[in-house]
Amino acid sequence: GAVAGETGRLAETLGKDGADFLATLERAGLKIPEKAKEKPVFVEHAGEIFWLNKNARGQLWLNAKASKFAAGGAGENVEGAAEPVAKPPRPQRGRRATGAGESPR
C-alpha cells in the first residue's frame, strides 16, 4: 500500500519551512503539479517510489509506496538525487500479437 501526507503538515513535523521543504522535493526530481488532474512525475529512491499530487481543494500531497521496479536498474544517480521512473507500457487489449511473416486478421 501507499502512504501520503499533506506537504505543509510534513514540513511542520520535520521542523522545516514549507517553501524549503518543497524546494528540496523539487531538487530530488519531483514536479509540483499545477492542476489536480495533472499526471505526476514518479521518482524512485531507496526502493520506494515518490510522487506529488494536488487534491480538488488545492492541497499538495507527497505520496510514497514500495517500488516494483527496484531491481530494474532505475534509482539514484551519482549526486544521490533520485531519477524519474517510467512506468512500463501497458499491454494492448483485444489485439492479437502477430509474429514475423504472419498477417493480422
Side-chain angles (χ1 to χ4, degrees), residues 32-76:
I32 297 173
E34 293 180 24
K35 301 175 187 173
K37 297 212 179 217
E38 188 173 326
K39 186 175 180 178
V41 171
F42 297 90
V43 175
E44 182 176 2
H45 176 72
E48 295 193 78
I49 294 179
F50 297 88
W51 69 98
L52 291 170
N53 72 297
K54 273 191 181 176
N55 65 16
R57 291 182 264 168
Q59 295 172 320
L60 186 62
W61 288 70
L62 175 63
N63 304 271
K65 74 176 191 175
S67 174
K68 296 179 195 174
F69 312 108
E76 294 182 352

Side-chain angles (χ1 to χ4, degrees), residues 2 16 46 87-88 93:
K16 303 286 183 187
K87 287 185 173 181
R93 298 176 106 185

